[in-house]
Amino acid sequence: MSTVYILWLRQLKRYFRSRPRILGALGQPLLFLVALGFGFGPIYQKAGGGNYIQFLAPGIIAMGILFTSVFSGMEIIWDRQFGFLKETLVAPIPRLAIMLGQTLGGATVATIQGMIVFVISLVVGFRPESLTLIVLAPLFMFMIALLFAALGTAIASAMEDMQGFQLIMNFLIMPTFFLSGALFPLQGLSNIIGIIASVDPLSYGVDGLRAVLLNNAHFGIPTDLLVLSVVAAIFLAVGSYFFSKIQI
Amino acid sequence: MDSINIIQVTNLTKQFNGFTAVDNISFAVEQGEVFAFLGPNGAGKTTTIKMLTTLLRPTSGEMRLNGFNPLSEQDEVRRSFGIVFQDPSLDDNLTAMENMEFHGVLYKVPKETRRTRIEQLLKLVDLWDRRGDLVKQFSGGMKRRLEIARGLLHHPKLFFLDEPTLGLDPQTRNHIWGYIKDLNKQEGITVFFTTHYMEEAERMADRIAIIDHGKIIIAGTSEALKQQTKTTSLEEAFLALTGSTIRKEEASSTDRMRMVRRMWTRR
Ligand SMILES: Nc1ncnc2c1ncn2[C@@H]1O[C@H](COP(=O)(O)OP(=O)(O)OP(=O)(O)O)[C@@H](O)[C@H]1O
Ligand SMILES: [Mg+2]
């Protein structure tokens, strides 16, 4: 337990000590909110969708969490390249504890980032519609963060260095975001995009956030929670396996 | 009890994609010994240490460390040793104190003991006054001293030092060796170290093994090595045994990454 805690604490300390990282990670969601929110707003309204900023904000919060959590999980690669990983690997502690500490730390950091994006979206004009369900928002943020931090750690454990990083970004993380229903409604999508979106775990995170912030769900809260938990558990298990195989 | 082998290696081999880095070596280190593991660049020293310390799986061979098997009894083995790696292994974004705390918690050193020992050790390596500073503000020598202090925090029976004095000035080197020697004398900690400074090995080691191209070519006291090669210093003996050609080595991907990182983080 103390092992998981000290690894978690390390992640948080590192996060709060790198202000450029916090700010850098906020630029992108802000840009998306402003450019897409105001750019597509009128068309979306005309098509009968209502206020696009309202629709978009939960998707952008999820985006902020997605990127931060994957990056935090992947910090293991930096630790590996710059030596610190050896220190944890020779310690007499279960590999699962290391993996858990790293993942929980990344997930916490990403949840905080998600909260900050939420506040930004309020400034840009987002107004949550349900004030009772909103208490569940941090839970969904954390579930998204946990799932993708676990994914990041799993990927990082299987990679030797940063060489495959672009590949992961362009063929895994970007599609996960763009095909998740973060930017467009899944209702009435019967084509291939709809099918892809329904196997994209981020769709369920976005859906959950919309459910609790806007009272507007496609899959429904129980389904969202179930899918997120199951996938997160799978990623954790796979990640632990890869992690236990690391040789330096 | 003075002839117990704390390290026992038999026919140990490690291949990387067909290239044999460690080639069927066997040796033993007695409890309480100071043992020097010498060899030219790329000889296989670090690879051997990595296998002994559970970081790397051997291709074949047997190992025992403090009586335990590094392959099947990893946690027992891990509890038995402390290590200073050849490459940096501190978290630059944490303070000296935080790096020590982190280690103490991982090794389950009880809180009170941890506090007192950290203070003792940091004072000993002259870093107590800098305990609250981020490690990235430290010089190379300060980082090295911190790594040594950290490796001793959990009172290991066996201490691995992979080129501990690399890049240090003579003052710091003497200081560190003085301390390690004391530890060995007073606490009976076994020391296994590598170095490229032959006079260090000559002065410190009870016994020396020389490895070249993955094979141990000789082992014994410094005197014995000099006698066998009919030389007067360990450096001459070393050169007589390993030849005078320079070993070619490619930059590893780690080195390349370090370059990239340095370029990114430069301010
Ligand atoms: N992960 C790896 N993959 C492939 N080859 C490796 C790997 N690690 C080490 N080697 C090779 O194994 C050989 C032994 O390396 P090792 O690091 O053990 O040498 P060393 O004796 O510690 O040398 P030095 O004095 O330069 O530190 C070298 O030829 C090195 O290039
Ligand atoms: Mg080496």
Side-chain angles (χ1 to χ4, degrees), chain B residues 46 86 162-163:
Chain B
T46 301
Q86 180 173 354
D162 199 352
E163 298 190 33

Side-chain angles (χ1 to χ4, degrees), chain B residues 7 9 27-29 33-38 45 48-49 52 82 84 158-164 177 180 189-194 209:
Chain B
I7 300 179
V9 170
F27 66 91
V29 178
E33 242 187 332
V34 177
F35 187 88
F37 198 46
L38 308 179
K45 303 180 293 293
T48 304
I49 292 179
L52 285 167
V84 174
L158 166 62
F159 201 24
F160 287 102
L161 296 145
D162 199 352
E163 298 190 33
W177 276 120
I180 294 171
I189 293 182
T190 311
V191 178
F192 182 105
F193 75 101
T194 77

Side-chain angles (χ1 to χ4, degrees), chain A residues 119-156:
Chain A
V119 173
I120 292 181
S121 71
L122 293 179
V123 176
V124 175
F126 175 62
R127 293 292 169 264
E129 275 160 31
S130 157
L131 288 179
T132 45
L133 281 174
I134 206 170
V135 294
L136 287 176
L139 171 69
F140 272 103
M141 291 190 198
F142 185 73
M143 287 307 296
I144 301 174
L146 188 65
L147 191 156
F148 287 103
L151 177 66
T153 323
I155 294 173

Side-chain angles (χ1 to χ4, degrees), chain A residues 2-3 6-7 10 13-14 17 77-95 160-163 246-248, chain B residues 14 50 53 55-57 75 78-79 81 85 87-91 93-94 98-99 102-103 105-108 134 150 253-254 257-258 261 264:
Chain A
S2 57
T3 309
I6 198 84
L7 283 151
R10 168 174 177 254
K13 282 185 174 159
R14 286 170 62 91
R17 276 171 199 173
I77 298 192
W78 289 125
D79 282 350
R80 180 183 186 132
Q81 295 292 346
F82 305 109
F84 189 76
L85 189 60
K86 293 192 292 274
E87 156 78 357
T88 26
L89 288 182
V90 295
I93 45 175
R95 309 294 96 168
E160 291 254 315
D161 50 35
M162 277 301 199
Q163 307 233 347
I246 290 186
Q247 296 193 53
I248 288 194
Chain B
K14 177 69 193 180
K50 281 180 177 174
T53 55
L55 285 174
L56 208 55
R57 298 187 148 263
D75 279 356
R78 286 172 182 149
R79 264 190 286 274
F81 70 83
F85 298 100
D87 304 324
S89 64
L90 296 163
D91 187 337
N93 289 307
L94 297 182
E98 286 167 344
N99 269 287
F102 185 88
H103 186 91
V105 172
L106 287 196
Y107 284 80
K108 305 206 166 41
L134 291 183
R150 184 182 66 177
S253 69
T254 313
M257 282 301 296
R258 273 197 197 108
R261 169 75 156 205
W264 280 10

Side-chain angles (χ1 to χ4, degrees), chain A residues 160 248, chain B residues 16-17 19-22 39-48 50 56 86 162-163 194 196 211 248-250:
Chain A
E160 291 254 315
I248 288 194
Chain B
F16 295 108
N17 316 313
F19 169 78
T20 309
V22 172
N41 288 138
K45 303 180 293 293
T46 301
T47 305
T48 304
K50 281 180 177 174
L56 208 55
Q86 180 173 354
D162 199 352
E163 298 190 33
T194 77
H196 289 299
I211 180 172
K248 279 204 199 90
E249 272 201 295
E250 289 173 40

Side-chain angles (χ1 to χ4, degrees), chain B residues 33-138:
Chain B
E33 242 187 332
V34 177
F35 187 88
F37 198 46
L38 308 179
N41 288 138
K45 303 180 293 293
T46 301
T47 305
T48 304
I49 292 179
K50 281 180 177 174
M51 288 189 281
L52 285 167
T53 55
T54 74
L55 285 174
L56 208 55
R57 298 187 148 263
T59 309
S60 63
E62 283 282 323
M63 297 178 284
R64 288 277 151 184
L65 198 144
N66 195 21
F68 301 109
N69 184 340
L71 290 175
S72 56
E73 297 162 302
Q74 297 193 319
D75 279 356
E76 287 85 352
V77 167
R78 286 172 182 149
R79 264 190 286 274
S80 310
F81 70 83
I83 183 167
V84 174
F85 298 100
Q86 180 173 354
D87 304 324
S89 64
L90 296 163
D91 187 337
D92 276 4
N93 289 307
L94 297 182
T95 65
M97 192 69 184
E98 286 167 344
N99 269 287
M100 294 294 278
E101 279 280 346
F102 185 88
H103 186 91
V105 172
L106 287 196
Y107 284 80
K108 305 206 166 41
V109 182
K111 196 165 179 174
E112 278 311 305
T113 326
R114 196 161 79 218
R115 290 278 144 80
T116 32
R117 264 193 220 160
I118 290 178
E119 182 170 347
Q120 267 172 9
L121 284 164
L122 284 183
K123 281 185 172 154
L124 202 115
V125 295
D126 251 336
L127 287 174
W128 181 245
D129 295 338
R130 303 289 304 266
R131 63 186 180 278
D133 291 354
L134 291 183
V135 169
K136 64 176 153 199
Q137 296 160 359
F138 282 10

